[in-house]
Amino acid sequence: MDDAALLALGLAGYVRAVAEEVGVPPEGTEFEVADTTTAYLALPERPGPDLMLLWSGGHGWSVAVETRPSEPPVTVAHLGAPLVPPPEVVARFVADVLAGGPGRPEPSVPEPSAPEPSAPEDRRALARELGGYAP
């Protein structure tokens, strides 16, 4: 199996495991392996703006405020390294942020009109890290 297929299978399993820990049903998750590797989890409703949990193979997990589809999300908190922490670590991060914890700052702040920056992905390394979550 090639790296892209391993990456997709591993990411699917990882997103499923994180969603279970965070309490997000399968229909509240999405992931994509394309030019970049990303995942989205719709966090459970609560008072205030809608929040989402985002992951990218370039900079890991962030909690962000949902915006209009044409606008980039507004990051509230960033988990930081490692890129593929255990699902229970991600769940603790989400619980801390929802309780008012600050998280870590984003790795860099994009210009308002610039695309979101991220570290270059090492797809082979990501495939290895996520491989344990593949069915």
Side-chain angles (χ1 to χ4, degrees):
M1 190 176 300
D2 69 0
D3 288 340
L6 280 174
L7 184 55
L9 284 172
L11 184 58
Y14 183 56
V15 168
R16 193 171 28 256
V18 169
E20 287 174 11
E21 283 289 328
V22 175
V24 174
E27 60 272 9
T29 67
E30 294 180 15
F31 71 91
E32 179 178 63
V33 176
D35 292 342
T36 59
T37 307
T38 59
Y40 161 93
L41 286 79
L43 292 175
E45 289 187 33
R46 58 172 196 71
D50 290 338
L51 295 177
M52 59 184 148
L53 181 60
L54 302 174
W55 181 84
S56 82
H59 74 270
W61 289 104
S62 297
V63 172
V65 175
E66 296 237 25
T67 58
R68 295 182 181 157
S70 61
E71 297 175 1
V74 177
T75 300
V76 173
H78 181 74
L79 178 57
L83 287 177
V84 184
E88 55 273 8
V89 170
V90 180
R92 242 186 342 270
F93 163 67
V94 170
D96 289 347
V97 171
L98 294 179
R104 297 179 188 151
E106 275 293 309
S108 59
V109 178
E111 292 295 320
S113 62
E116 180 181 355
S118 63
E121 292 182 2
D122 180 345
R123 292 169 87 81
R124 181 165 289 169
L126 279 175
R128 280 193 308 270
E129 284 191 66
L130 293 167
Y133 293 96

